[in-house]
């Protein structure tokens, strides 16, 4: 596989991301454990046994043992997956940090056998929307400008469309929203640091932020997104994507106009024209 062009602009600084992940703490990785629950729930609904799974993850120890004999690889730009070697690939909590998310899905597709399943768990666009709003408004008020602080994350519809672009059949995308509560904005930021999910944007500020920005952001957050007890509510959107490597055995959609019966007859109703 061709390596990415080193001169191409990158949204994320992978070196910084690796450093941030290296200081992550195991007890803060609750989003990964939630993703494990989502993956296991979806696999329980699939009437098929998988014997050659692979897991793409930045935290191998969290996913170790989730799937028996799974081949676990890091979420590098080029995934160490053997083409056609797996009947299941789980891309676990890393797609939201990918500079080329379609490329990641294509690599997973190539690693699958015919009728193999891809299952992706990643963070979606509603994640940290409260913090994004508070920091953005505070920075504009205090400095008169706005800098990139929280990574843009894909919306459900857009991420579902990536599966089709990568060549997957029977694509499905759904979402689960999780909330957590924090004492204050500093508590939240410390938790994000412990998750390895702090700012790794290539265009992030390289100098310390003025203290007034965080003070004003705390006030805005508390005014708009706090519980009656004064704790700050934070949203994490967990998006799950599933798609199948195409195979002749899979169901195919009927050709438009090929139906042999009228829907109105099946429903026992009368068919009428729509009003103008």
């Amino acid at each position: 596989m061709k390596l990415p062009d080193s001169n191409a602009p990158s949204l994320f600084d992978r070196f910084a991301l690796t450093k941030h992940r290296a200081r992550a703490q195991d007890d803060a990785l609750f989003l990964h454990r939630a993703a494990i629950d989502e993956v296991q729930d979806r696999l329980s609904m699939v009437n098929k046994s998988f014997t050659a799974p692979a897991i793409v993850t930045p935290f191998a120890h969290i996913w170790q043992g989730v799937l028996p004999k799974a081949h676990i690889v890091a979420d590098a730009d080029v995934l160490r997956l053997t083409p056609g070697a797996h009947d299941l690939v789980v891309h676990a909590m890393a797609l939201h940090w990918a500079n080329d998310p379609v490329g990641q899905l294509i690599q997973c597709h190539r690693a699958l056998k015919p009728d193999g399943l891809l299952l992706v768990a990643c963070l979606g666009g509603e994640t940290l929307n409260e913090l994004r709003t508070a920091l953005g408004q505070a920075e504009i008020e205090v400095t008169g400008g706005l800098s990139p602080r929280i990574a843009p994350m894909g919306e459900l519809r857009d991420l579902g469309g990536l599966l089709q672009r990568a060549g997957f059949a029977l694509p499905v995308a759904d979402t689960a929203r999780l909330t957590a509560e924090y004492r204050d904005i500093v508590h939240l930021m410390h938790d994000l640091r412990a998750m390895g999910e702090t700012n790794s944007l290539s265009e992030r500020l390289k100098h310390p932020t003025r203290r007034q920005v965080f003070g004003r952001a705390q006030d805005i957050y508390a005014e708009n997104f706090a519980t009656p007890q004064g704790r700050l509510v934070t949203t994490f959107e967990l998006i799950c994507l599933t798609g199948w490597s195409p195979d002749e055995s899979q169901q195919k959609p009927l050709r438009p106009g090929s139906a042999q019966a009228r829907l109105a007859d099946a429903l026992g109703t009368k068919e009428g024209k729509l009003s103008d």
Side-chain angles (χ1 to χ4, degrees):
M1 178 174 293
K2 182 181 178 181
L3 292 173
D5 183 357
S6 59
N7 295 321
S10 296
L11 178 62
F12 300 113
D13 180 344
R14 297 288 299 186
F15 179 73
L17 179 61
T18 299
K19 287 184 15 180
H20 295 168
R21 286 171 169 173
R23 66 192 183 199
Q25 300 174 17
D26 185 74
D27 59 356
L29 299 179
F30 65 88
L31 292 175
H32 286 260
R33 294 185 171 89
I36 288 173
D37 291 340
E38 293 291 333
V39 167
Q40 292 177 327
D41 182 57
R42 281 157 179 75
L43 289 178
S44 70
M45 296 184 286
V46 177
N47 187 24
K48 181 175 180 176
S49 297
F50 299 100
T51 59
I55 302 175
V56 179
T57 174
F59 296 109
H61 69 285
I62 292 292
W63 291 84
Q64 196 80 43
V66 172
L67 298 173
K69 299 181 181 179
H71 177 55
I72 299 181
V73 302
D75 68 313
D77 288 330
V78 178
L79 303 176
R80 298 178 66 85
L81 294 172
T82 303
H86 303 284
D87 54 6
L88 170 66
V89 173
V90 177
H91 201 293
M93 297 299 290
L95 195 67
H96 55 281
W97 286 118
N99 280 312
D100 182 11
V102 176
Q104 289 281 299
L105 297 181
I106 290 174
Q107 291 180 69
C108 292
H109 188 184
R110 291 175 177 171
L112 285 169
K113 301 176 182 180
D115 201 35
L117 175 64
L118 170 71
L119 208 164
V120 177
C122 64
L123 294 179
E126 292 299 313
T127 299
L128 299 176
N129 69 83
E130 302 91 352
L131 180 62
R132 191 190 309 272
T133 298
L135 279 175
Q137 183 176 333
E139 189 169 25
I140 290 172
E141 290 182 11
V142 174
T143 71
L146 187 63
S147 58
R149 295 184 177 275
I150 299 175
M153 300 178 196
E155 301 296 332
L156 182 65
R157 179 180 298 180
D158 297 331
L159 290 172
L162 296 185
L163 290 174
Q164 294 178 309
R165 289 179 59 189
F168 285 96
L170 309 173
V172 176
D174 58 43
T175 182
R177 283 176 173 78
L178 311 176
T179 58
E181 296 180 6
Y182 294 92
R183 293 187 304 272
D184 50 37
I185 201 169
V186 174
H187 182 201
L188 168 55
M189 291 181 174
H190 283 173
D191 209 25
L192 292 174
R193 178 186 175 95
M195 296 179 198
E197 296 284 345
T198 45
N199 191 355
S200 297
L201 288 163
S202 296
E203 299 302 319
R204 68 192 183 279
L205 286 180
K206 302 301 194 298
H207 57 78
T209 299
R210 292 165 60 178
R211 184 176 301 177
Q212 295 96 315
V213 171
F214 293 118
R216 179 61 184 135
Q218 167 66 32
D219 293 339
I220 295 170
Y221 207 133
E223 290 168 6
N224 295 279
F225 308 111
T227 68
Q229 294 74 34
R231 294 182 66 83
L232 306 186
V233 176
T234 299
T235 299
F236 297 98
E237 183 184 23
L238 184 60
I239 288 181
C240 292
L241 310 173
T242 57
W244 293 85
S245 179
D247 185 70
E248 287 301 318
S249 65
Q250 294 167 352
Q251 293 181 343
K252 304 294 190 299
L254 293 175
R255 178 172 47 84
S258 62
Q260 300 299 311
R262 296 168 61 248
L263 180 60
D265 293 339
L267 297 176
T269 63
K270 291 184 178 181
E271 186 176 7
K273 293 182 179 180
L274 294 174
S275 58
D276 293 335

Short mmCIF file of all heavy atoms in Angstrom, two decimals, residues 35-47 117 119-120 174-176 238-242:
data_model
loop_
_atom_site.label_atom_id
_atom_site.label_comp_id
_atom_site.label_asym_id
_atom_site.label_seq_id
_atom_site.Cartn_x
_atom_site.Cartn_y
_atom_site.Cartn_z
N ALA A 35 -17.40 1.53 24.61
CA ALA A 35 -17.33 1.05 23.23
C ALA A 35 -17.27 -0.48 23.19
O ALA A 35 -17.87 -1.10 22.30
CB ALA A 35 -16.11 1.64 22.54
N ILE A 36 -16.58 -1.09 24.13
CA ILE A 36 -16.54 -2.55 24.19
C ILE A 36 -17.94 -3.11 24.38
O ILE A 36 -18.35 -4.08 23.73
CB ILE A 36 -15.61 -3.01 25.33
CG1 ILE A 36 -14.15 -2.74 24.96
CG2 ILE A 36 -15.80 -4.50 25.63
CD1 ILE A 36 -13.16 -3.00 26.08
N ASP A 37 -18.71 -2.49 25.27
CA ASP A 37 -20.10 -2.94 25.49
C ASP A 37 -20.92 -2.82 24.21
O ASP A 37 -21.71 -3.72 23.89
CB ASP A 37 -20.75 -2.11 26.61
CG ASP A 37 -20.16 -2.41 27.98
OD1 ASP A 37 -19.53 -3.47 28.15
OD2 ASP A 37 -20.31 -1.56 28.88
N GLU A 38 -20.74 -1.71 23.48
CA GLU A 38 -21.48 -1.50 22.24
C GLU A 38 -21.08 -2.55 21.19
O GLU A 38 -21.94 -3.10 20.48
CB GLU A 38 -21.22 -0.10 21.69
CG GLU A 38 -21.78 1.03 22.54
CD GLU A 38 -23.31 1.07 22.53
OE1 GLU A 38 -23.92 0.62 21.55
OE2 GLU A 38 -23.89 1.54 23.53
N VAL A 39 -19.80 -2.83 21.09
CA VAL A 39 -19.32 -3.83 20.13
C VAL A 39 -19.88 -5.20 20.46
O VAL A 39 -20.39 -5.92 19.58
CB VAL A 39 -17.77 -3.85 20.11
CG1 VAL A 39 -17.26 -5.10 19.37
CG2 VAL A 39 -17.23 -2.59 19.46
N GLN A 40 -19.80 -5.59 21.71
CA GLN A 40 -20.30 -6.91 22.10
C GLN A 40 -21.81 -7.02 21.91
O GLN A 40 -22.32 -8.07 21.52
CB GLN A 40 -19.92 -7.19 23.56
CG GLN A 40 -18.42 -7.38 23.75
CD GLN A 40 -18.02 -7.58 25.19
OE1 GLN A 40 -18.64 -7.03 26.10
NE2 GLN A 40 -16.98 -8.36 25.43
N ASP A 41 -22.53 -5.92 22.15
CA ASP A 41 -23.97 -5.93 21.95
C ASP A 41 -24.31 -6.15 20.48
O ASP A 41 -25.20 -6.93 20.14
CB ASP A 41 -24.57 -4.61 22.45
CG ASP A 41 -26.08 -4.57 22.31
OD1 ASP A 41 -26.75 -5.47 22.86
OD2 ASP A 41 -26.59 -3.64 21.66
N ARG A 42 -23.61 -5.47 19.59
CA ARG A 42 -23.88 -5.63 18.17
C ARG A 42 -23.48 -7.00 17.65
O ARG A 42 -24.17 -7.58 16.81
CB ARG A 42 -23.18 -4.51 17.38
CG ARG A 42 -23.96 -3.20 17.46
CD ARG A 42 -23.12 -1.98 17.21
NE ARG A 42 -23.93 -0.78 17.27
CZ ARG A 42 -24.40 -0.23 18.39
NH1 ARG A 42 -24.11 -0.79 19.56
NH2 ARG A 42 -25.14 0.86 18.37
N LEU A 43 -22.38 -7.52 18.13
CA LEU A 43 -21.96 -8.85 17.69
C LEU A 43 -22.94 -9.92 18.16
O LEU A 43 -23.12 -10.94 17.49
CB LEU A 43 -20.55 -9.15 18.21
CG LEU A 43 -19.41 -8.36 17.56
CD1 LEU A 43 -18.09 -8.71 18.20
CD2 LEU A 43 -19.36 -8.62 16.06
N SER A 44 -23.58 -9.69 19.32
CA SER A 44 -24.54 -10.67 19.82
C SER A 44 -25.77 -10.77 18.92
O SER A 44 -26.50 -11.76 18.97
CB SER A 44 -24.97 -10.31 21.24
OG SER A 44 -25.78 -9.13 21.26
N MET A 45 -26.01 -9.73 18.11
CA MET A 45 -27.17 -9.72 17.23
C MET A 45 -26.85 -10.23 15.82
O MET A 45 -27.70 -10.28 14.96
CB MET A 45 -27.75 -8.30 17.14
CG MET A 45 -28.30 -7.79 18.47
SD MET A 45 -29.09 -6.16 18.34
CE MET A 45 -27.64 -5.11 18.16
N VAL A 46 -25.58 -10.60 15.59
CA VAL A 46 -25.16 -11.10 14.28
C VAL A 46 -25.17 -12.63 14.33
O VAL A 46 -24.49 -13.23 15.17
CB VAL A 46 -23.76 -10.59 13.91
CG1 VAL A 46 -23.31 -11.20 12.58
CG2 VAL A 46 -23.75 -9.07 13.82
N ASN A 47 -25.92 -13.23 13.44
CA ASN A 47 -26.03 -14.68 13.41
C ASN A 47 -24.87 -15.28 12.62
O ASN A 47 -25.04 -15.87 11.54
CB ASN A 47 -27.37 -15.09 12.79
CG ASN A 47 -27.61 -16.59 12.88
OD1 ASN A 47 -27.05 -17.27 13.75
ND2 ASN A 47 -28.43 -17.11 11.98
N LEU A 117 -17.13 -8.72 8.32
CA LEU A 117 -17.81 -7.59 8.97
C LEU A 117 -16.81 -6.57 9.50
O LEU A 117 -15.82 -6.94 10.15
CB LEU A 117 -18.66 -8.11 10.14
CG LEU A 117 -19.36 -7.05 11.01
CD1 LEU A 117 -20.38 -6.26 10.23
CD2 LEU A 117 -20.01 -7.72 12.23
N LEU A 119 -16.73 -3.33 12.06
CA LEU A 119 -17.46 -2.65 13.13
C LEU A 119 -16.58 -1.54 13.67
O LEU A 119 -15.47 -1.78 14.14
CB LEU A 119 -17.82 -3.66 14.23
CG LEU A 119 -19.08 -3.36 15.06
CD1 LEU A 119 -19.51 -4.59 15.82
CD2 LEU A 119 -18.84 -2.22 16.02
N VAL A 120 -17.07 -0.30 13.53
CA VAL A 120 -16.32 0.88 13.96
C VAL A 120 -17.01 1.52 15.15
O VAL A 120 -18.23 1.69 15.16
CB VAL A 120 -16.23 1.92 12.82
CG1 VAL A 120 -15.49 3.17 13.30
CG2 VAL A 120 -15.54 1.33 11.61
N ASP A 174 -25.32 4.16 13.69
CA ASP A 174 -26.19 4.60 14.78
C ASP A 174 -25.36 5.24 15.88
O ASP A 174 -24.13 5.23 15.83
CB ASP A 174 -27.06 3.46 15.32
CG ASP A 174 -26.24 2.28 15.81
OD1 ASP A 174 -25.23 2.50 16.49
OD2 ASP A 174 -26.61 1.13 15.52
N THR A 175 -26.04 5.81 16.85
CA THR A 175 -25.33 6.62 17.84
C THR A 175 -25.88 6.39 19.24
O THR A 175 -27.06 6.05 19.42
CB THR A 175 -25.45 8.12 17.48
OG1 THR A 175 -24.72 8.90 18.42
CG2 THR A 175 -26.90 8.57 17.48
N ALA A 176 -25.02 6.56 20.22
CA ALA A 176 -25.42 6.51 21.63
C ALA A 176 -24.77 7.71 22.32
O ALA A 176 -23.58 7.99 22.11
CB ALA A 176 -24.96 5.21 22.28
N LEU A 238 -21.06 8.52 21.07
CA LEU A 238 -20.40 7.32 20.59
C LEU A 238 -21.13 6.83 19.34
O LEU A 238 -22.30 6.47 19.40
CB LEU A 238 -20.41 6.23 21.67
CG LEU A 238 -19.67 4.93 21.37
CD1 LEU A 238 -18.20 5.21 21.12
CD2 LEU A 238 -19.84 3.95 22.54
N ILE A 239 -20.44 6.87 18.21
CA ILE A 239 -21.03 6.43 16.94
C ILE A 239 -20.52 5.03 16.60
O ILE A 239 -19.32 4.75 16.73
CB ILE A 239 -20.70 7.42 15.81
CG1 ILE A 239 -21.49 8.72 16.01
CG2 ILE A 239 -20.99 6.83 14.43
CD1 ILE A 239 -21.27 9.76 14.96
N CYS A 240 -21.44 4.19 16.18
CA CYS A 240 -21.10 2.82 15.76
C CYS A 240 -21.47 2.64 14.29
O CYS A 240 -22.58 2.97 13.87
CB CYS A 240 -21.84 1.80 16.61
SG CYS A 240 -21.29 1.76 18.33
N LEU A 241 -20.53 2.15 13.51
CA LEU A 241 -20.72 1.88 12.10
C LEU A 241 -20.52 0.40 11.84
O LEU A 241 -19.59 -0.21 12.38
CB LEU A 241 -19.71 2.67 11.25
CG LEU A 241 -19.55 4.16 11.52
CD1 LEU A 241 -18.39 4.72 10.69
CD2 LEU A 241 -20.83 4.91 11.20
N THR A 242 -21.38 -0.18 11.01
CA THR A 242 -21.18 -1.57 10.58
C THR A 242 -21.33 -1.64 9.07
O THR A 242 -22.17 -0.95 8.48
CB THR A 242 -22.18 -2.54 11.24
OG1 THR A 242 -23.52 -2.10 10.94
CG2 THR A 242 -22.00 -2.58 12.74
#
